[in-house]
Amino acid sequence: MAGQYTLTMIKPDAVSSNYTGGILKMINEAGFRIAAMKYTRLTREQAMKFYEVHRERPFYEGLVEFMSSGPIVAALLEKENAIAAFRELIGATNPANAAPGTIRALYARDVQQNAVHGSDSDENALIESDFFFSRLERF
Ligand code: IDP
Ligand code: MG
């Protein structure tokens, strides 16, 4: 497959609620190929770095706190048009606005603890996949 890549995280809220299996099942059934995956926990510093594009936003501090509060699953996904297709699969940032059947509609708690991350551009997908995975960890 010579598709596009996107980077996802199953966030601490969803991991701690045992939604990892359900979310990975949706990802598989939507036709994404898993090119890399790891179970890990971000330090405060790593969460600050991952979300540094949002450092001026009022929700940044809370987001960093939340994202370093427990383990996550990070994965690199491949599919044709992966970035837009994955954003569609996960639904709107605020689950109150997420379309029925999307991952966030099914699994998110609120606008902060919203179950999953998905890259928003090719440029960020590359930055985010380099953040988590070395060349040797990608297949
Ligand atoms: P996205 O994850 O849908 O791309 P972004 O705007 O990139 O949304 O925001 C990054 C993350 O920051 C969100 O997924 C969510 O966890 C958190 N966030 C975004 N907006 C808010 C907010 O208004 N209040 C609290 N947290 C927010
Ligand atoms: Mg975003």
Side-chain angles (χ1 to χ4, degrees), residues 88-92 94-106:
E88 192 169 327
L89 180 68
I90 69 180
N94 187 338
N97 304 324
T102 59
I103 291 175
R104 282 168 167 166
L106 290 165

Side-chain angles (χ1 to χ4, degrees), residues 10 22 27 35 60 78-79 93 103 105 115 119 138:
I10 302 176
I27 289 170
Y60 179 68
E78 183 187 12
K79 188 187 196 303
T93 306
I103 291 175
S119 305
R138 302 176 203 197

Side-chain angles (χ1 to χ4, degrees), residues 25-70:
K25 184 169 193 282
M26 289 180 70
I27 289 170
N28 281 148
E29 288 179 347
F32 292 88
R33 188 183 75 80
I34 296 172
M37 184 159 65
K38 69 174 57 165
Y39 184 62
T40 187
R41 179 174 176 166
L42 297 175
T43 63
R44 229 193 110 67
E45 290 67 34
Q46 287 169 329
M48 287 176 73
K49 173 118 183 74
F50 187 90
Y51 282 111
E52 70 184 349
V53 293
H54 293 310
R55 67 187 174 280
E56 306 297 339
R57 309 287 285 279
F59 59 78
Y60 179 68
E61 177 53 36
L63 177 62
V64 166
E65 190 75 24
F66 161 57
M67 287 304 298
S68 57
S69 68

Side-chain angles (χ1 to χ4, degrees), residues 1-14:
M1 206 201 296
Q4 188 182 43
Y5 288 89
T6 191
L7 188 285
T8 187
M9 294 184 286
I10 302 176
K11 296 185 179 183
D13 59 315

